[in-house]
Amino acid sequence: MTVFVRDGTDLLLTVRLTPGSTKEGIGGVWTDEKGAEWLSARVRAVPEKGKANAALVALLAKWLDWPRSAISLESGDTNRLKRLRIKGGGERLSLARLSAIIGERVEAS
């Protein structure tokens, strides 16, 4: 699974967001036409005035047990496909641990 990469002391996470869902959660990996993998996420918030993006950050913070203030949207503000930066994640979240967290959460959903 390559939905994340290390960037110095940070991690970059690629996510395909579905806003306005009836249920919130992380589940599965979506592959685009170029073969890039994106972690699938759903939030209840609507895509207006950044509400869905804020809900995604909150969901990821809870999901990864990471401070919300350390997760920021790097690209995809008005797009379903987003890249998020997890500040300090490259140092404190090992890639093996992140892979395990993603694997556990994806299998459970």
Side-chain angles (χ1 to χ4, degrees), residues 3-63:
V3 297
F4 59 89
V5 296
R6 187 174 295 202
D7 183 34
T9 61
D10 299 342
L11 287 177
L12 296 176
L13 182 65
T14 56
V15 177
R16 181 176 189 267
L17 179 63
T18 302
S21 178
T22 58
K23 188 173 153 181
E24 287 196 348
I26 307 282
V29 175
W30 179 77
T31 305
D32 66 17
E33 66 279 351
K34 296 178 184 175
E37 293 181 332
W38 304 78
L39 187 63
S40 295
R42 299 172 308 281
V43 295
R44 288 185 184 104
V46 294
E48 295 174 358
K49 300 180 184 174
K51 291 177 184 177
N53 292 333
L56 174 61
V57 169
L59 178 65
L60 287 171
K62 181 178 178 184
W63 193 65

